[in-house]
Amino acid sequence: TSMDIKLHCDGARIFEATCFYDKPLKEVVSIFDSVYISFYKGLGGISGAMLLGDKEFCEEARIWLRRFGGNLFTQLPYAVSGWAGYRCHWVHNDTSMSFREKYQKILRLTSTIGEQGLVTFDPEIPSVNMVHGYFRQNIDEIHRARDAVEDAIGLRVLQRVKPVEPNTNAFRAGYRSKFELAIGAANGKIDDADFFLGWEALEKELSAY
């Protein structure tokens, strides 16, 4: 820019975000001077990440990597698994469910579940295959209802639920518990009807409290 302001992209889910923008990856990141890419989220690698930018930026970043103690004895396992994930999930898409299919599924689920009024999603329309959800009920009420639904129909609607921290906007808005809904290769195979059945049962259970 005219003011020489540098832009950095936290691209932890950048591959998934191309579905939301409906643009090629190259075009999505074109406005940024540097980009962080995760190896383990969408690509399914062991761990690790990659930082991209011009030569001067990357040389400076390497110095700070060592200053902060981030240099490892070897990065080969992370590089190999990241490269394998990139080839599998992005280049060849040799998976049972593509990034676009995962994104389309979470759009269907959040649209229908959100209509029940039980949970509020943030953002209301997901931009990737993961979204945050908020309940007005506290974590103990959610856990009791979740476990009751599992005992009754054999479906576990939620895995990890956390309390909403005080002095946050969500807490001031009346929300008391939160969770993440992410669509991956495993739960992506579950029929939408089963998701809806579980959430309808959870709503009925909570309405009794």
Side-chain angles (χ1 to χ4, degrees), residues 132-149:
H132 297 277
Y134 292 86
F135 293 108
R136 296 192 179 276
Q137 295 83 358
N138 64 47
I139 192 169
D140 292 330
E141 292 172 327
I142 297 297
H143 281 165
R144 286 200 302 271
R146 178 200 63 188
D147 295 344
V149 169

Side-chain angles (χ1 to χ4, degrees), residues 173-188:
Y175 298 104
R176 294 298 178 264
S177 55
K178 62 182 180 179
F179 67 98
E180 289 185 359
L181 175 62
I183 300 301
N187 65 352

Side-chain angles (χ1 to χ4, degrees), residues 75-118:
Q75 298 182 20
L76 182 60
Y78 308 106
V80 170
S81 66
W83 176 242
Y86 173 75
R87 288 172 56 83
C88 177
H89 295 283
W90 187 252
V91 177
H92 300 302
N93 193 27
D94 295 332
T95 61
S96 58
M97 199 172 194
S98 67
F99 286 129
R100 184 165 297 278
E101 289 171 328
K102 294 173 186 175
Y103 180 62
Q104 290 171 341
K105 188 176 186 71
I106 203 168
L107 287 180
R108 295 193 303 269
L109 295 180
T110 54
S111 175
T112 300
I113 294 170
E115 291 175 355
Q116 297 175 345
L118 172 65

